[in-house]
Amino acid sequence: METKKQIVSSTPEPTIRRLPMYLSYLKNFLSDGREYISAPHIASDLRIDATTRTKDLAYIGISGKPKIGYSVPVLINYLEEFLGYNRNDLAFLVGAGNLGTALLKYEGFKNTGLRIVAAFDNDTRKIGGKIGGVEILPIDKLRNMIERMHIAIGIITTPEGVAQSIADMMIGWGIKAIWNFTPAIIKAPEGIFVENTSIYSNLAVIINKIQNQ
Amino acid sequence: METKKQIVSSTPEPTIRRLPMYLSYLKNFLSDGREYISAPHIASDLRIDATTRTKDLAYIGISGKPKIGYSVPVLINYLEEFLGYNRNDLAFLVGAGNLGTALLKYEGFKNTGLRIVAAFDNDTRKIGGKIGGVEILPIDKLRNMIERMHIAIGIITTPEGVAQSIADMMIGWGIKAIWNFTPAIIKAPEGIFVENTSIYSNLAVIINKIQNQ
DNA sequence: TTTTAATAAAGAATTATTTCTTTATTAAAA
DNA sequence: TTTTAATAAAGAAATAATTCTTTATTAAAA
């Protein structure tokens, strides 16, 4: 008869997923030189109901002025703060293949507060080199590095087959969150957060839409 | 006073997003040589409530046998059929940079029914060559190719700044669905489906979880 | 056979999310 | 000032999705 109810009242995940979209949109808007923006305006451009958007912004603690709207720069600041772009979250990446390379070279992370501080691979031709300015180290250095640097985030871009064993190692050595880009289903103990970026899930939605006209 | 209610009763999107996960899991399970699997078994491995899973499977039209469970090969067939893996959906990809290259080389698509038949870029060093067996063509060939081959899916892996203009072109020439890997917010007319694979959204969820312990 | 236990299916309840409706606020116009 | 219109905020309702509960099914054991 335990109470399972979580009294967290945290921001809904759909809201969190929308926030980066607002941010991107607002930065474009600002670069056009306009300083205030209204909810209906954002809503129609982003094809999201105006109320949904208002509530999303209320979650991050910002309010607008009637007859005027929201101050775009203030909105951007709040969003960046909320999204942790002013933090400095360190991550390791394992698997410097095509996808891993793409992430290591990804300019977009520069603004986000996420910093990939090292990458690991077992290909001796890659080890010792750098990709996107990040050093490639042998897998057997992983343990020591995680423990020494207190890295919280582990990014897995390995082949599917080894993803779980990499995750197990990472978790055992202190990683708190895993960002899994493989199709593997990562099993992790309570308290370890696993976020999957699944190409297949996205593809499934597209194909389903096409199949049903 | 129009009726907005859509009486489609289609499969819920969360369900569709989970299906590839089931498929991956079941293929592993099958390779272990076991032929039947029960709902509670899948559920506990995948950390999804057993009822949710049963309903997911009911959507795709498969039922299990009491006391036995589901036949794994049958389940796999149904899933692959439902997910369109037996179809042959053709796609073009625009932007053969790091991410584009990763997708072109992605072995995983081989089983999915999605075939990227050509890629487009404006880098003359890439044009004429092949990546992952796919030819790289100049952007100005895009129109003719879309119209001639009746391609339905356009994948955008360009820099953010040009994503909308590429989308506009694709849509104008007959593309029905856009898979956008850039952070740009693609505006598209009614009837054109846009699926975003947003690195930022996934990152936002991770950072939010870490911030709240 | 009959009973039992594992299991699926159906339905109800709950929770989460979105959308709709009303009310309050306020800058600008009269 | 006072009024108006654009807007946000708050609350209610509707919808969607998940989880819980009960019922039905059936292979295997007794």
Side-chain angles (χ1 to χ4, degrees):
Chain A
M1 272 291 280
E2 74 189 300
T3 307
K4 263 224 185 148
K5 194 173 169 61
Q6 294 227 16
I7 314 158
V8 275
S9 173
S10 58
T11 316
E13 198 174 298
T15 294
I16 293 168
R17 291 190 185 279
R18 280 190 296 266
L19 295 180
M21 197 165 103
Y22 297 151
L23 185 55
S24 164
Y25 170 80
L26 291 168
K27 280 184 172 171
N28 273 323
F29 191 87
L30 188 64
S31 71
D32 292 353
R34 286 170 286 179
E35 219 198 311
Y36 283 91
I37 191 169
S38 74
H41 192 149
I42 304 180
S44 77
D45 272 2
L46 265 54
R47 308 201 157 207
I48 295 168
D49 181 271
T51 314
T52 300
R53 197 222 26 73
T54 302
K55 293 204 169 157
D56 285 348
L57 297 183
Y59 275 115
I60 69 169
I62 188 168
S63 57
K65 281 187 202 164
K67 191 84 174 169
I68 296 287
Y70 297 85
S71 158
V72 179
V74 171
L75 214 43
I76 288 173
N77 273 340
Y78 267 76
L79 280 166
E80 290 189 335
E81 181 63 32
F82 188 90
L83 290 171
Y85 286 11
N86 304 321
R87 293 162 47 104
N88 190 22
D89 286 302
L90 306 185
F92 279 163
L93 179 147
V94 179
N98 292 307
L99 181 56
T101 297
L103 290 178
L104 290 171
K105 289 185 177 174
Y106 191 44
E107 298 289 327
F109 284 142
K110 295 231 163 34
N111 321 306
T112 64
L114 181 79
R115 194 151 59 85
I116 302 176
V117 290
F120 299 83
D121 204 294
N122 56 12
D123 183 337
T124 48
R125 286 164 303 178
K126 289 174 184 162
I127 291 168
K130 281 187 172 188
I131 298 177
V134 177
E135 248 187 303
I136 313 298
L137 305 172
I139 297 276
D140 55 28
K141 286 266 174 71
L142 187 57
R143 174 174 199 163
N144 184 266
M145 294 283 281
I146 291 177
E147 290 176 345
R148 191 154 54 83
M149 297 185 73
H150 301 290
I151 302 294
I153 300 172
I155 302 172
I156 302 181
T157 47
T158 63
E160 177 177 8
V162 300
Q164 181 67 57
S165 66
I166 296 290
D168 291 342
M169 289 193 275
M170 286 177 159
I171 294 164
W173 301 332
I175 286 270
K176 295 300 174 215
I178 286 180
W179 193 356
N180 171 39
F181 282 85
T182 81
I185 295 134
I186 302 290
K187 287 185 227 178
E190 205 64 32
I192 302 296
F193 178 68
V194 178
E195 171 76 5
N196 300 296
T197 294
S198 167
I199 294 286
Y200 290 112
S201 290
N202 289 286
L203 178 59
V205 174
I206 294 170
I207 300 294
N208 184 259
K209 280 276 171 15
I210 286 178
Q211 278 180 339
N212 306 322
Q213 296 300 344
Chain B
M1 273 291 278
E2 73 189 301
T3 307
K4 264 224 188 151
K5 193 172 170 61
Q6 295 227 11
I7 313 160
V8 276
S9 174
S10 58
T11 315
E13 197 173 299
T15 294
I16 292 169
R17 291 191 185 279
R18 280 190 296 266
L19 296 180
M21 197 165 103
Y22 296 151
L23 185 57
S24 163
Y25 170 80
L26 290 168
K27 281 184 172 170
N28 273 324
F29 191 86
L30 189 65
S31 71
D32 292 353
R34 286 169 285 178
E35 216 193 315
Y36 284 90
I37 192 167
S38 74
H41 191 150
I42 304 180
S44 77
D45 272 1
L46 264 55
R47 307 202 158 206
I48 295 169
D49 181 89
T51 312
T52 299
R53 198 218 30 70
T54 300
K55 293 200 169 162
D56 284 348
L57 297 183
Y59 275 116
I60 68 167
I62 189 169
S63 56
K65 282 187 203 164
K67 190 80 176 182
I68 296 287
Y70 297 85
S71 159
V72 179
V74 171
L75 214 44
I76 288 174
N77 273 339
Y78 268 75
L79 281 166
E80 291 189 333
E81 181 62 33
F82 188 91
L83 289 172
Y85 287 12
N86 304 321
R87 290 162 51 102
N88 189 23
D89 286 302
L90 306 186
F92 280 162
L93 180 146
V94 178
N98 292 306
L99 181 56
T101 297
L103 289 178
L104 290 170
K105 290 186 175 172
Y106 190 43
E107 298 288 327
F109 285 141
K110 295 233 164 28
N111 319 306
T112 64
L114 181 80
R115 194 153 59 85
I116 303 176
V117 290
F120 298 83
D121 204 293
N122 56 10
D123 184 339
T124 48
R125 287 165 301 177
K126 288 174 184 161
I127 291 168
K130 283 188 172 188
I131 298 176
V134 176
E135 247 186 305
I136 313 298
L137 304 172
I139 296 277
D140 54 29
K141 287 266 174 71
L142 187 56
R143 175 174 199 164
N144 185 266
M145 294 284 280
I146 291 177
E147 290 176 343
R148 191 153 55 83
M149 298 185 73
H150 301 292
I151 302 293
I153 301 171
I155 302 171
I156 302 181
T157 47
T158 62
E160 177 176 7
V162 298
Q164 181 67 57
S165 66
I166 296 291
D168 290 343
M169 289 194 272
M170 286 177 158
I171 293 164
W173 302 332
I175 286 271
K176 295 301 174 214
I178 287 181
W179 193 356
N180 171 38
F181 282 85
T182 79
I185 294 134
I186 303 290
K187 287 186 226 176
E190 206 63 33
I192 303 296
F193 177 68
V194 178
E195 171 76 7
N196 300 296
T197 294
S198 167
I199 294 285
Y200 290 113
S201 289
N202 288 286
L203 178 59
V205 174
I206 295 171
I207 300 295
N208 184 259
K209 280 276 172 16
I210 287 178
Q211 279 180 338
N212 306 321
Q213 295 299 344

